[in-house]
Structures are given as structure tokens and as C-alpha cells.
Amino acid sequence: MPNEADFPAAAPGSDYDTVRRILSFITHNWREQPTIEAIADAAGATPTDVHHLFRRWCGLTPKAFLQAITLDHAKGLLASSASVLDTALEVGLSGPGRLHDLFVTHEAMSPGEWKLGGDGLKLSYGFHASPFGEALIVVTDRGLAGLGWVSNSIDGGKVVGGRAEALADMMRRWPHADYHYDPALTAPYAGRIFDPKAWAAETPLRVVLIGTDFEVRVWETLLRIPVGCATTYGDVASHIGKPSAARAVGMAVGKNPISFVVPCHRVIGKSGALTGYHWGLTRKRAILGWEAGQAAAG
């Protein structure tokens, strides 16, 4: 188990610290349709501060952001995205004219390599600021292998704690790998991943998928879901030729080691409910709302 004392102090708080408090308040009070004044009060800010915060953080007004994370909006996404995977399979990796919103190139390690639990694999990692809190980034000499989050009790999820807990969670995926703390090596990945201005075809993001054959097929399918779209576990199961395997797909989605880049957050329940997320539903709502802002700007 990594020790929290092994790492330098975390960076100062960011916009996401306030955003997640707001999302937590909304999650528990959405039926009352809280006003901007109530939301601001819960966040310990003024309505003007909240308005500027959301404009700065995701490019949307607070009202537009709230609309983007409602159940009705999620249902609309599913309806409008019904054929998105069909289109993706016809034209390539993603929607028409786009390889992927982040312009990802990917490869998969062999099943034999995965079965060894990462034995002989060197993994470098670092912690970096992101629009969704502090991110843990893990890379090999072949590309990005892991992206997780340092979560607190407001985020929720399966791993709540500090950097040590976030790293231990990632290490359980490949227990025999050789891990090295090297934030200078992982920093360029953080800059490339979280800055939409850097999402360019001429600088593709290299990703390496490390999992079972079934998991990799699911993750490759997730890469076909563009920003501003969503799909269901059942649709993913159908598109990998396993229409009765929605539950197994759900488990594979939950094991996705490369959050955000491999967009498991864009898979939701057939009712439109967001359902579970390894790094917490607060963060899932934040990512979907932030992406709505990117889609609107694009």
C-alpha cells in the first residue's frame, strides 16, 4: 500500500472544489429545482461568483449546466444518440470526419501480457490538476495506460481518500508491474488530455489498453462515443456481438482504467439514469456537464 507521506503536498484547490460542492447540493435537492441563490449559498459563494465560475470552468451558465445533467437531458441524449455506434462502426473509430474527440490512437496488450498482471511492465505515474479534481496519470513507453482520480467523500465512488488510495486502486489492476513516480514524464499527458485546444489530429494521444479480450472490446467500443452523446450498456453489448451480456459489459465498463479518455462516463442506464461510476457520480455529472460545454463551443 503506498504511503500518503511519500508524495508532495497536493496543489491548491481549484474550481472543481466548488463545483463538486454545488453538484452535491444539486444531487440532494434537485426535486426542489434550487435557485441560483440557493446553490450559491450552499457553495459559500455569491450568485455572481457562481455564474462566473461555470462560465470559466465549462463555458456554460449555471442554468445551462443544470439542464445538461438532468434526467430529461440524459433521456434526450439517448434518443438522439441511438444510432451513434452504428454510424461509428460504418465510418471508423468515431463520428463522421473525426477519429475521436481527443484524437486517440490505441493498441491493446496481448492477453498473455495481461495475465501476467503487469509482470515486467514499467509504469510511470504522477498526480496532476484537471477540471475534475486531481488526476492520477499512468503511462508506459507505449502510451497512456491509466487515468484515475483522487476522490473525497463528496465525489463518492469506490475509492475515497488521498493520493495513496488512488494509486493503490490503480496498482490492483496490474499488481506485478514496476511502478515509478515520475510526474515530469506524465505532465505532458495531463496537458494534452485536459486542454481542448490541444485535441488535434497532428498530435494524437497514444493509449494502450491492458485488460482481458472482452474488456478491451468494450473499451474500444467506448472510444466510439463522441462528446455530447451517450449510449447504454445494452447497446454496447449488442455492438460487440454479445446482446445478452449487458451485465458483463457493465462490469467491464466499471473496470475501465483510463477514465475520461476512454469515456465510460458516457454509458448510462436505459432509463437515462447515470447509474454507477467507479470515481463517483458527482464526478460523472461534472464530466458530462463540462463536455456539454465543449460540445456547445464546438
Side-chain angles (χ1 to χ4, degrees):
M1 171 76 176
N3 191 318
E4 195 72 23
D6 294 339
F7 306 114
S14 65
D15 285 343
Y16 181 68
D17 291 337
T18 305
V19 167
R20 66 177 151 199
R21 290 200 302 273
I22 290 172
L23 284 176
S24 178
F25 175 75
I26 292 168
T27 297
H28 292 98
N29 297 277
W30 64 270
R31 288 182 178 85
E32 287 75 33
Q33 291 292 299
T35 63
I36 184 66
E37 288 77 16
I39 292 169
D41 185 61
T46 69
T48 299
D49 288 339
V50 171
H51 181 86
H52 289 312
L53 164 69
F54 275 91
R55 277 294 195 185
R56 179 175 64 246
W57 180 69
C58 68
L60 297 175
T61 65
K63 181 178 180 180
F65 180 86
L66 291 177
Q67 290 173 342
I69 61 171
T70 62
L71 181 62
D72 284 345
H73 180 74
K75 290 178 178 177
L77 276 184
L78 288 178
S80 64
S81 305
S83 63
V84 66
L85 290 179
D86 293 321
T87 302
L89 290 170
E90 290 172 7
V91 303
L93 188 59
S94 184
R98 305 183 73 170
L99 293 176
H100 183 277
D101 296 285
L102 278 76
F103 296 98
V104 167
T105 61
H106 75 281
E107 63 175 295
M109 286 195 168
S110 71
E113 290 176 298
W114 174 81
K115 287 179 182 177
L116 291 174
D119 188 27
L121 178 65
K122 179 180 178 180
L123 293 174
S124 302
Y125 68 92
F127 295 92
H128 303 278
S130 86
F132 318 109
E134 193 168 44
L136 165 62
I137 292 179
V138 181
V139 304
T140 75
D141 58 1
R142 292 154 68 174
L144 177 71
L147 198 169
W149 311 99
V150 178
S151 295
N152 67 18
S153 58
I154 299 177
D155 296 305
K158 295 186 178 179
V159 183
V160 173
R163 290 174 169 182
E165 285 80 7
L167 178 59
D169 174 61
M170 194 68 73
M171 291 174 71
R172 280 190 288 269
R173 301 166 187 271
W174 314 295
H176 305 305
D178 184 16
Y179 291 84
H180 296 265
Y181 180 57
D182 193 347
L185 181 64
T186 53
Y189 283 87
R192 170 65 176 75
I193 292 166
F194 298 118
D195 181 4
K197 298 186 189 69
W199 298 355
E202 58 268 23
T203 55
L205 176 64
R206 294 175 57 212
V207 169
V208 57
L209 304 176
I210 310 173
T212 67
D213 179 64
F214 181 82
E215 288 168 349
V216 168
R217 289 172 64 195
V218 170
W219 302 338
E220 287 175 332
T221 303
L222 301 185
L223 283 169
R224 299 182 174 109
I225 311 171
V227 167
C229 294
T231 192
T232 66
Y233 301 97
D235 282 344
V236 173
S238 294
H239 280 87
I240 63 171
K242 303 282 187 180
S244 62
R247 185 177 295 273
V249 164
M251 292 179 65
V253 169
K255 291 181 180 178
N256 168 34
I258 312 179
S259 177
F260 186 67
V261 173
V262 178
C264 51
H265 57 276
R266 297 178 196 158
V267 185
I268 60 180
K270 61 183 179 181
S271 68
L274 295 190
T275 67
Y277 187 58
H278 187 80
W279 291 280
L281 284 180
T282 297
R283 184 169 277 113
K284 185 170 185 174
R285 287 187 176 92
I287 295 174
L288 288 170
W290 184 89
E291 286 189 338
Q294 304 310 308

